């Protein structure tokens, strides 16, 4: 098993050297705890530089924590949260959204990770009916769990619909950097300017150790969020180390360099696979993930060498993810291993 190189997830990659160095640099002497230190003020300033002064930002520790705390803060337990059936909220948060918010999650079937206004519309018929959970939030993921990316127009359409129907729009931006890099737009264009109310902003998959944030564009919703953050156990005392990670990612647009590189490696991988007969790429490669089907016996052989996830066992569909530290040689080696695994079963 090649433990060093995995195509399983950008969560498996290390932290970027510059991020670790930044953490070491702030590791000097005492600093005021719980976010009143100069490094956190600097990180907040940088968030305002990116998204504008009219935001409220809170640094968080985990993506799940950011999603759940945001949703808990803007809902009441009789509400419903609308999301894709492929969403992290629905599949990978151990029902924390339901447990903590008390809300019902309404999953919309999605073949590409995105949800669309036409699918949400029929769900609103329960609005105002006291026997039904009341839709209050639409949550979308950017980039999606299937490695696709919402175009700004697609988000705007959902945002307009949300606005017209007294719903909030939450964006799980665990990989917003990859989305912005893929779209060649700014972070604000794919979130704030597209009408998102609250954004879970991800740093961890982009080269941080544990740095996530909640950015409220609808500041009304941020009122008293500091108490929710504390109750959600996401307020870390040694905040300077989280802030230092963001400061490193924002400095010189390291976040963009990392995301562009990860996306480029995914495109390279997909490009190399396109002429292999037994491989079929199943999703558009718009961020840093490649989804493909291949014969199950070849998957088994490949998994002896590389760690990655089988996404859909029935369809023999796998997910391969790239990261800021994936190299062209990693891709070459991986594609060779794929070819060998296919030769072995032919
Ligand atoms: C789309 C998405 N959202 C949120 C998260 C949550 O991250 P964490 O593992 O930090 O809770 C992940 C993690 O992989 C993710 O892929």
């Amino acid at each position: 098993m090649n433990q060093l190189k995995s195509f399983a997830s950008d969560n498996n990659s290390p932290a970027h050297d510059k991020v670790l160095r930044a953490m070491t640099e702030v590791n000097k002497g005492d600093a005021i705890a719980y976010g009143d230190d100069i490094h956190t003020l600097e990180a907040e300033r940088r968030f305002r530089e990116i998204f504008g002064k009219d935001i409220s930002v809170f640094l968080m520790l985990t993506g799940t924590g950011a999603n759940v705390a945001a949703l808990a803060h803007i809902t009441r337990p009789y509400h419903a949260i609308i999301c894709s059936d492929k969403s992290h909220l629905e599949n990978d948060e151990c029902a924390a959204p339901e447990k903590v918010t008390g809300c019902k999650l309404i999953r919309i079937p999605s073949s590409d990770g995105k949800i669309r206004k036409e699918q949400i519309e029929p769900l609103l018929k329960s609005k105002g009916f006291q026997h039904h959970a009341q839709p209050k939030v639409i949550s979308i993921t950017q980039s999606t769990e299937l490695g696709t990316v919402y175009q700004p127009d697609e988000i705007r359409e959902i945002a307009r619909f949300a606005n017209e129907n007294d719903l909030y729009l939450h964006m799980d931006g665990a990989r917003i950097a990859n989305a912005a890099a893929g779209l060649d737009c700014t972070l604000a264009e794919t979130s704030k300017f597209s009408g998102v109310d609250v954004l879970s902003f991800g740093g961890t998959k982009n080269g941080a150790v544990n740095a996530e944030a909640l950015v409220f564009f609808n500041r009304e919703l941020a009122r008293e969020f500091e108490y929710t953050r504390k109750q959600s156990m996401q307020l870390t005392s040694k905040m300077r180390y989280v802030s230092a990670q963001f400061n490193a990612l924002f400095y010189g647009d390291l976040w963009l360099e990392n995301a562009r590189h990860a996306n480029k490696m995914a495109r390279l991988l997909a490009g190399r696979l396109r002429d292999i007969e037994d491989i079929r790429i199943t999703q558009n490669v718009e961020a840093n993930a490649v989804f493909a089907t291949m014969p199950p016996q070849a998957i088994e052989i490949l998994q002896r060498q590389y760690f990655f996830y089988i996404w859909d066992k029935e369809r023999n569909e796998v997910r391969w993810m790239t990261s800021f530290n994936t190299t062209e040689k990693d891709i070459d080696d991986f594609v060779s291993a794929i070819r060998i695994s296919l030769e072995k079963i032919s």
Side-chain angles (χ1 to χ4, degrees):
M1 171 80 69
N2 183 342
Q3 293 291 357
L4 294 179
K5 283 298 166 190
S6 130
F7 284 85
S9 172
D10 39 13
N11 283 319
N12 291 20
S13 53
H16 195 282
D17 284 345
K18 288 184 182 171
V19 169
L20 281 187
R21 214 173 304 136
M23 291 173 88
T24 309
E25 275 161 19
V26 301
N27 191 35
K28 292 189 184 98
D30 290 352
I32 301 172
Y34 296 109
D36 287 326
D37 60 285
I38 52 167
H39 311 290
T40 304
L41 294 180
E42 173 60 8
E44 289 168 356
R45 187 191 67 75
R46 284 175 185 270
F47 271 102
R48 282 193 291 275
E49 211 169 72
I50 290 167
F51 290 111
K53 288 199 170 68
D54 53 342
I55 60 160
S56 299
V57 59
F58 299 86
L59 304 194
M60 312 286 282
L61 293 172
T62 69
T64 301
N67 284 344
V68 173
L71 294 170
H73 194 69
I74 65 178
T75 56
R76 302 192 70 179
Y78 52 80
H79 285 148
I81 298 161
I82 297 166
C83 57
S84 128
D85 65 346
K86 303 297 183 304
S87 65
H88 198 268
L89 279 189
E90 162 66 15
N91 298 296
D92 293 303
E93 301 192 353
C94 196
E98 291 96 325
K99 175 179 188 274
V100 176
T101 66
C103 295
K104 182 181 174 72
L105 284 193
I106 303 181
R107 317 174 282 282
I108 291 182
S110 170
S111 55
D112 62 357
K114 301 189 201 177
I115 55 176
R116 292 167 176 86
K117 186 190 92 170
E118 293 69 34
Q119 298 173 290
I120 305 169
E121 235 158 8
L123 302 173
L124 299 197
K125 65 178 186 304
S126 59
K127 264 201 151 222
F129 186 49
Q130 67 178 337
H131 302 283
H132 289 180
Q134 295 298 293
K136 192 65 190 173
V137 182
I138 302 170
S139 180
I140 59 175
T141 309
Q142 180 74 321
S143 53
T144 73
E145 289 78 0
L146 298 187
T148 56
V149 167
Y150 284 92
Q151 295 295 318
D153 280 354
E154 294 177 303
I155 302 174
R156 246 177 259 127
E157 188 179 32
I158 296 175
R160 207 174 307 119
F161 177 80
N163 203 28
E164 285 162 6
N165 290 285
D166 190 28
L167 303 169
Y168 301 129
L169 180 57
H170 165 253
M171 176 179 276
D172 176 348
R175 296 188 181 83
I176 192 174
N178 301 91
L183 290 165
D184 197 20
C185 74
T186 65
L187 292 164
E189 276 164 351
T190 190
S191 55
K192 183 185 184 192
F193 300 152
S194 298
V196 169
D197 289 302
V198 55
L199 165 70
S200 302
F201 184 100
T204 308
K205 291 155 186 59
N206 186 235
V209 181
N210 61 329
E212 306 287 317
L214 269 181
V215 189
F216 288 87
F217 305 122
N218 179 343
R219 297 184 85 182
E220 230 348 81
L221 294 181
R223 241 164 52 83
E224 301 196 338
F225 181 77
E226 56 272 34
Y227 307 112
T228 299
R229 177 173 62 176
K230 180 69 187 186
Q231 277 201 330
S232 306
M233 296 159 278
Q234 290 280 312
L235 177 65
T236 178
S237 61
K238 301 212 173 172
M239 187 76 88
R240 65 174 133 159
Y241 298 97
V242 177
S243 315
Q245 296 174 61
F246 277 122
N247 291 337
L249 289 177
F250 292 148
Y251 185 78
D253 285 343
L254 177 63
W255 69 271
L256 183 57
E257 191 185 310
N258 287 351
R260 275 189 182 145
H261 179 81
N263 292 2
K264 185 177 160 196
M265 291 300 107
R267 283 196 307 274
L268 185 67
L269 175 59
R272 298 262 168 93
L273 298 175
R274 283 219 162 86
D275 62 342
I276 302 181
E277 208 179 299
D278 285 327
I279 303 245
R280 192 174 69 81
I281 294 173
T282 54
Q283 295 291 339
N284 291 339
V285 179
E286 296 171 344
N288 63 326
V290 177
F291 286 76
T293 54
M294 67 187 285
Q297 307 91 321
I299 295 178
E300 203 190 311
I301 294 169
L302 191 59
Q303 281 192 319
R304 288 184 207 141
Q305 239 185 307
Y306 284 92
F307 180 45
F308 60 86
Y309 292 108
I310 297 175
W311 184 257
D312 184 333
K313 204 163 172 38
E314 275 173 28
R315 281 169 21 116
N316 299 315
E317 187 179 33
V318 296
R319 180 187 80 169
W320 294 320
M321 295 205 73
T322 53
S323 178
F324 74 88
N325 74 325
T326 307
T327 63
E328 291 197 20
K329 180 166 183 325
D330 295 335
I331 302 288
D332 288 343
D333 293 348
F334 190 48
V335 173
S336 300
I338 290 171
R339 285 185 182 280
I340 291 168
S341 72
L342 290 167
E343 278 161 24
K344 280 192 179 152
I345 62 161
S346 66

